[in-house]
């Protein structure tokens, strides 16, 4: 599966909708053993959510099969599909993109990959449960460093922490992932899916617990505006900035970046 959406591979409401359809196909394919996710852009695996897209659509679309909003619904279901899922990461993967790769089973990264969760830096709570995933992978202290610190993590440091499985030279990543995926694909579906199930059961990663955490997170985000936290006002201001189509895209981008506390015109 190859991601390709604009010059920096942004995630938008259409991406979320298509991801939900893809997860359904994976769930329903009885002979599928391995799925590899990669990017057509060597500099951006998944940049982040597109702040200039129709943000309100994300919060007003009907819930998915788990009862959660479409984005966390797709991530939760992705984490539980009976196939083995692998992210072959080249370039930047931040925010919602990081949440996506965290919900795949294995993450192999090129030497130039950069990962991160910047949401706290502009007053938002990450909505795809990276807190829970990272706490399971790297431990509580390092999870706090990654999510609350909001900084970029280069591939080698991410591997040292456990954010990714291992780092390969850029020109060796594709062949390594292909060889690994083909090896696993040669095994029986029952063996692969059964082993994945028992690994999940033996770690802090059972589906029931994940659904509960996602539900509590969604309830927190939904109620945050009523408690006076910045999350709901930020969402409203971002929606207003992205929804006014009478201004130029550049002007709207400057406004969104100002809201987010980011200087300059470059991607975040």
């Amino acid at each position: 599966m190859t991601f390709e959406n604009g010059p920096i591979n942004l995630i938008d409401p259409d991406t979320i909708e298509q991801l939900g359809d893809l997860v359904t196909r994976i769930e329903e394919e009885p002979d599928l053993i391995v799925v590899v996710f990669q990017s057509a852009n060597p500099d951006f695996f998944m940049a982040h959510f597109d702040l200039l897209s129709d943000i309100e659509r994300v919060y007003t679309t009907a819930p998915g099969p788990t009862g959660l909003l479409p984005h966390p619904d797709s991530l939760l279901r992705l984490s539980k599909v009976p196939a083995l899922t692998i992210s072959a990461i080249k370039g930047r993967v931040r925010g919602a993109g990081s949440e996506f790769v965290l919900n795949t089973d294995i993450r192999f990264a090129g030497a130039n990959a950069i990962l991160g969760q910047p949401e706290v830096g502009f007053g938002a709570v990450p909505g795809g449960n990276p807190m829970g995933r990272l706490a399971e992978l790297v431990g509580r202290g390092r999870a706090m460093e990654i999510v609350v610190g909001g900084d970029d993590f280069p591939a080698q440091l991410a591997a040292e922490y456990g954010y990714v499985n291992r780092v390969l030279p850029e020109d060796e990543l594709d062949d390594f992932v292909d060889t690994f995926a083909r090896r696993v694909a040669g095994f029986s579906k029952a063996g692969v899916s059964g082993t994945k199930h028992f690994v999940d059961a033996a770690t802090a990663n059972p589906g029931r617990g994940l659904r509960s955490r996602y539900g509590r997170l969604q309830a927190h985000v939904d109620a945050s505006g009523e408690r006076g936290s910045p999350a709901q006002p930020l969402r409203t201001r971002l929606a207003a900035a992205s929804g006014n189509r009478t201004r130029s895209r550049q002007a709207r981008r400057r406004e969104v970046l100002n809201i987010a506390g980011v200087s300059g015109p470059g991607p975040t």
Side-chain angles (χ1 to χ4, degrees):
M1 170 63 193
T2 301
F3 296 110
E4 186 173 13
N5 187 24
I8 60 173
N9 255 0
L10 291 171
I11 301 170
D12 56 29
D14 289 337
T15 309
I16 293 172
E17 182 178 323
Q18 293 163 11
L19 176 60
D21 293 340
L22 176 63
V23 172
T24 298
R25 288 169 53 197
I26 296 173
E27 291 171 332
E28 295 177 350
E29 177 51 62
D31 299 321
L32 185 63
I33 298 175
V34 182
V35 181
V36 175
F37 296 99
Q38 60 187 8
S39 170
N41 187 333
D43 296 320
F44 293 92
F45 182 89
M46 284 183 173
H48 52 74
F49 188 80
D50 185 357
L51 299 179
L52 299 181
S53 66
D54 185 2
I55 293 175
E56 283 302 302
R57 177 178 159 195
V58 176
Y59 296 96
T60 56
T61 304
T66 65
L68 302 173
L69 290 173
H71 177 55
D73 170 82
S74 296
L75 296 182
L76 177 56
R77 291 165 53 214
L78 174 66
S79 73
K80 296 163 59 180
V81 295
L84 185 76
T85 55
I86 303 169
S87 291
I89 305 169
K90 290 184 178 182
R92 289 179 175 269
V93 56
R94 305 168 79 236
S98 169
E99 292 168 353
F100 175 87
V101 300
L102 285 170
N103 280 280
T104 57
D105 298 313
I106 296 174
R107 291 156 297 285
F108 295 127
N112 296 330
I114 297 175
L115 300 89
Q117 295 286 162
E119 294 91 338
V120 170
F122 52 85
V125 176
N129 193 37
M131 295 78 72
R133 284 293 184 182
L134 284 167
E136 293 157 358
L137 290 169
V138 307
R140 182 180 184 276
R142 285 177 168 175
M144 294 289 280
E145 178 186 351
I146 294 168
V147 180
V148 178
D151 206 351
D152 287 342
F153 279 73
Q156 191 57 52
L157 181 58
E160 292 173 8
Y161 274 31
Y163 202 160
V164 300
N165 288 62
R166 69 168 81 182
V167 179
L168 284 301
E170 291 288 321
D171 59 355
E172 297 179 16
L173 178 63
D174 291 343
D175 287 344
F176 177 88
V177 172
D178 183 68
T179 299
F180 181 85
R182 289 180 184 276
R183 174 178 171 81
V184 175
F187 303 147
S188 73
K189 174 65 176 283
V192 173
S193 62
T195 300
K196 175 176 174 176
H197 171 78
F198 283 111
V199 169
D200 285 347
T203 62
N205 193 22
R208 182 176 59 184
L210 276 176
R211 178 171 179 173
S212 175
R213 286 202 301 274
Y214 270 114
R216 291 197 299 272
L217 174 60
Q218 182 169 310
H220 169 82
V221 173
D222 288 345
S224 60
E226 299 172 7
R227 293 198 302 272
S229 84
Q232 183 77 11
L234 175 71
R235 188 177 85 187
T236 302
R237 286 182 288 153
L238 288 175
S242 64
N244 187 345
R245 306 299 174 183
T246 62
R247 298 193 306 280
S248 70
R249 183 176 178 86
Q250 184 177 4
R252 287 186 282 112
R253 180 170 182 80
R254 282 199 300 269
E255 182 170 342
V256 169
L257 290 172
N258 288 336
I259 291 170
V262 178
S263 60
T268 61

